[in-house]
Amino acid sequence: MTATATTEYRPPATTAVRDRTTASGRAKARWARIRLPLVVVALIALTVLFAAFAKPRTSGIALAPDNPAPSGARATAEILKRQGVEITYVRTMREALRADAPGNTLLVTSTNDLTDEQVARLAASKSDLVLLGPSFWALEVLAPGLGTDFADGTEVRTAECDDPDASAARTITVSGPEYRTTSPDITLCFPGGSEGTGAYAVIPGARRTVAFADPSLLTNRHLAQEGNAALALRALGHHPHLTWYVPSLADTSTDAGQGLQPGADALPSWLGLVLAQLAVLVVVIAWWRGRRLGRLVTEPLPVTVPASEATRGRGRLYRRARSRGHAAAALRAGAASRMAVRLGLPRSAGATDVIDGVARATQHTTAEVAALVYGPPPSDDASLLRLAGQLDKLESEVRRS
Amino acid sequence: MLITWRAVALTALGVVAVVLVPAGLTVVLWLALVVLLCVVDTLLAASPRAVELSRRVPMSVRLTEHVTSSLAMTNLGRRTLRGTLRDAWQPSAGAVSNRHELEVRAGDGQRVRTVLTPSRRGDRQADLVTIRTRGPMGLAGRQASLAVPGRLRVLPEFASRRHLPSRLARLRELDGRAAVQVRGAGTEFDSLREYVVGDDVRSIDWRATARRSEVVVRTWRPERDRRVFMVLDTSRTSAARVGDAPRLDASIEAALLLAALASHAGDRVELIAFDRRLRARVAGATGPRLMPAMADALAPLEPALIEADWPGIVGAIRERTSQRALVVLLSALEPAAVESGLLPVVAQLTAVHQVVLASVADPELAELRSGRASSADIYDAAAAQRADLEREAIAVRLRQRGVDVVEALPEDLAPRLADAYLALKAAGRL
């Protein structure tokens, strides 16, 4: 007769005959299950798309036409657009040269990131050029005879030249570098303190080239000051098409055709296709591994509370409170009660009976035993540790006797 | 529709094709080829739903033993079914190798067996049976999960049954069958027999001797048909983990051993499991039906994280037994819980019954108490010592009210409780 007696009994089998669902029923159930998540995902996607298209896209690139920050030039671009100038914002030389033709304006916001080939290609272009703070080595190619000089502080200068744009602007703010020239062909406007200097240069030729010494003239921060706006808008608004080129370091392309891709020559031509095939493979692997062989099975488990948890908690409380008195009292009481049992004393035995009994059973005097078992609480952790050791020793002596 | 590793390998082969013929069309065409083959394979695969599944699983198994759950599958479709079957069970049912390969022709059947080695007492449920079929090319297939209910009751281990033979021998010593006669309170008149040298002369029945020609002695035997009423406390104190298992499991072991012993001794055994309401009850089962009934009732018990309702427990005992009985409370000697719960009502029990409180002690406390390595250990030791003293104090108060307290480590509780029962029986205090 044991507990396993019941295993001998074979209960009737439980049976499931042919899943009675139909394909359409299953599809309906699947649709009902997936409907809510689908709606949520669709809503999120719509919100994201709406947010992406509702707001005009902005950037943080200096002098970019879509940057509304103080260092951007969105104000200039917006005003030009309103005046009927069609602006093409580009980041690569290849794109910048795509619309290259006489009767276009090409704005180059900085020449610092251009390669020598790109500068040369720029010099060979046919559009009217507007250069913002060009570096001196670019100037050598693009505007021979024009040099850079340094002026300090911000000042307001007047045009003092016969260029119609400059005289229309009358005054502009200037800070940083300025131009110096000895060539009589070059018109310098907004002169500084010394002879032959200026913040705005016009180089006539087959196409008109204009150079601003101070690019900050176009920025949102400074556009509204003095005649900055007038000069910038007139210089950029000569033609109905403006290509706004903000060069970047990543771009090394030079002409309208196939650009130079970094490292492209070292890689086989089929690499892209293999990568595409590998991407397909990743999706297939995900599909293969993604389907479980049946659902996960759950099981309610009992809570696990160590029985000694409360005792450990009390130990921590003693420790945190440095409650050596309580700790010593507990250890002493425990030792005393065990020794009393060992000596055959009744439960009702008082302290003196225990002290006498222990002293008689061991080699210690009653004073020693009394100090150990009923003495004052220890003053620090070390003496508590010592007390525990002495109590253990006394107990073992009683046990041996 | 699902795909196998073969479909993945086929897609991977596409990389070679793309290297040989580097064109965008190669990628697209290869993908189309893979998709086409997978779709064809899926359409040719047998339906995983056109099957009949029949499960046979034993009603119960004792913990640490294993049973076999068998699933008979009949293919009701028109195609040969090739694939995999997963017979899912709850994790602690211990179904380790529960995936089986299938190859069943139309109308044919196959039986798969899953060995279950449960790791925990209680009821274990079978989950869905999942069948995954493959097409003839093995590229893709179909999958369906079907519900074939199954339940396995995992009975308590009853490891304490190894203590039963020695306790039964002790019981026989108390009995009149043994050579040494025990006479005193708690024994009842059994029979008369002829005097043999060595018998206690005080047991000579002079009246019967006078009627016959030979000297006749009385023999005695321990009282029978006493009542043993066990109360298994399933409240929060039973949830505490001692060693590796909750306190409740050690209490169940003790209850099983006591029930086996008492039923051999001819006593009537009754058990209730109670916290704030009745969780299980065994009553009226005697002889060979007692132990299966006990195991079955105790198997699904789980500790409840609530305080025990001791007045309710006392009420339940009074409701079920009016005669004097041995009431065994399988609970915990937790000072706070006993002080506020059992102590105020225990007098109502001891007035009528013999009461024993059996509690599982924690070996970790003894370990903590002897810790001397660092000052942190000393504080823990002091806390453990204080807990010991408090437990001793509450045990003394219970003893003063007439309750026998048996406190032992989990593996010792069952034999210690059996010994306490034998001592009470020998002393005639039942």
Side-chain angles (χ1 to χ4, degrees), chain B residues 150-273:
Chain B
R151 193 204 70 177
L152 178 67
R153 174 155 288 185
V154 184
L155 304 176
E157 189 186 350
F158 195 15
S160 57
R161 68 184 182 280
R162 67 174 187 274
H163 299 294
L164 193 56
S166 61
R167 267 63 189 182
L168 287 177
R170 295 258 297 281
L171 188 68
R172 276 194 292 275
E173 283 170 19
L174 298 179
D175 214 331
R177 276 171 279 175
V180 182
Q181 299 290 314
V182 183
R183 187 199 161 185
T187 50
E188 59 189 32
F189 175 68
D190 184 21
S191 61
L192 292 170
R193 62 167 171 80
E194 203 178 324
Y195 174 84
V196 291
V197 178
D199 278 343
D200 189 349
V201 288
R202 287 174 297 178
S203 61
I204 294 172
D205 188 329
W206 294 108
R207 223 178 267 224
T209 306
R211 278 201 298 274
R212 301 191 193 182
S213 55
E214 70 266 20
V215 181
V216 169
V217 291
R218 291 178 180 184
T219 60
W220 308 85
R221 63 172 189 184
E223 290 171 311
R224 295 176 67 86
D225 294 319
R226 303 284 118 182
R227 301 171 68 91
V228 176
F229 198 100
M230 286 186 266
V231 179
L232 197 59
D233 173 13
T234 56
S235 71
R236 65 171 179 86
T237 52
S238 72
R241 195 158 45 86
V242 175
D244 237 359
R247 249 197 199 116
L248 184 64
D249 284 20
S251 297
I252 285 175
E253 287 287 309
L256 286 172
L257 182 64
L258 182 58
L261 188 59
S263 79
H264 270 99
D267 291 336
R268 275 175 294 157
V269 178
E270 196 169 339
L271 175 138
I272 58 169

Side-chain angles (χ1 to χ4, degrees), chain B residues 30-93:
Chain B
W30 195 271
L31 182 62
L33 174 77
V34 172
V35 169
L36 181 74
L37 287 175
C38 285
V39 167
V40 167
D41 213 29
T42 304
L43 292 176
L44 290 176
S47 166
R49 294 171 193 277
V51 293
E52 180 186 326
L53 286 167
S54 162
R55 184 195 293 283
R56 268 179 197 283
V57 56
M59 286 280 274
S60 54
V61 62
R62 201 164 57 199
L63 191 65
T64 70
E65 290 179 354
H66 54 81
V67 288
T68 307
S69 160
S70 79
L71 263 176
M73 197 215 71
T74 314
N75 182 4
L76 303 178
R78 276 175 306 219
R79 299 197 191 113
T80 299
L81 191 153
R82 280 186 201 85
T84 314
L85 181 147
R86 173 181 176 230
D87 184 11
W89 283 79
Q90 290 185 327
S92 70

Side-chain angles (χ1 to χ4, degrees), chain A residues 3 6-7 13-14 16 18-19 26 277 292-293 295 299 305 307 312 314 324 330 338 381 385 392, chain B residues 11 49 51 53 55 60 86 91-92 120 127 132 143 149 155 240-241 364 372 378-379 385-386 390:
Chain A
T6 48
T7 56
T14 53
R18 197 194 280 275
D19 184 16
R26 282 198 300 277
Q277 181 66 26
R292 293 184 56 84
L293 187 57
R295 66 181 182 189
E299 176 179 350
V305 191
R312 285 180 189 279
R314 183 189 266 185
R324 286 177 281 270
R338 276 193 299 274
D381 282 0
L385 209 56
D392 287 348
Chain B
T11 315
R49 294 171 193 277
V51 293
L53 286 167
R55 184 195 293 283
S60 54
R86 173 181 176 230
S92 70
R120 210 156 61 79
D127 204 63
R132 173 179 282 193
Q143 178 175 321
L155 304 176
R241 195 158 45 86
E364 215 178 321
R372 294 285 186 270
I378 285 291
Y379 286 114
Q385 182 66 72
R386 177 60 69 194
E390 282 171 359

Side-chain angles (χ1 to χ4, degrees), chain B residues 111-167:
Chain B
R111 184 178 291 274
V112 296
R113 292 183 177 79
T114 305
V115 176
L116 303 171
T117 315
S119 54
R120 210 156 61 79
R121 177 179 56 78
D123 282 350
R124 297 287 92 86
Q125 306 286 345
D127 204 63
L128 302 180
V129 172
T130 304
I131 298 176
R132 173 179 282 193
T133 62
R134 285 189 303 269
M137 288 179 279
L139 285 173
R142 297 158 71 180
Q143 178 175 321
S145 294
L146 299 121
V148 191
R151 193 204 70 177
L152 178 67
R153 174 155 288 185
V154 184
L155 304 176
E157 189 186 350
F158 195 15
S160 57
R161 68 184 182 280
R162 67 174 187 274
H163 299 294
L164 193 56
S166 61
R167 267 63 189 182

Side-chain angles (χ1 to χ4, degrees), chain A residues 134-172:
Chain A
S135 50
F136 69 89
W137 66 85
L139 276 179
E140 280 170 14
V141 182
L142 295 171
L146 197 62
T148 50
D149 203 351
F150 292 97
D152 40 60
T154 305
E155 51 184 336
V156 176
R157 297 186 187 176
T158 49
E160 292 177 32
C161 69
D162 47 355
D163 181 75
D165 297 346
S167 29
R170 269 192 235 110
T171 55
I172 60 165

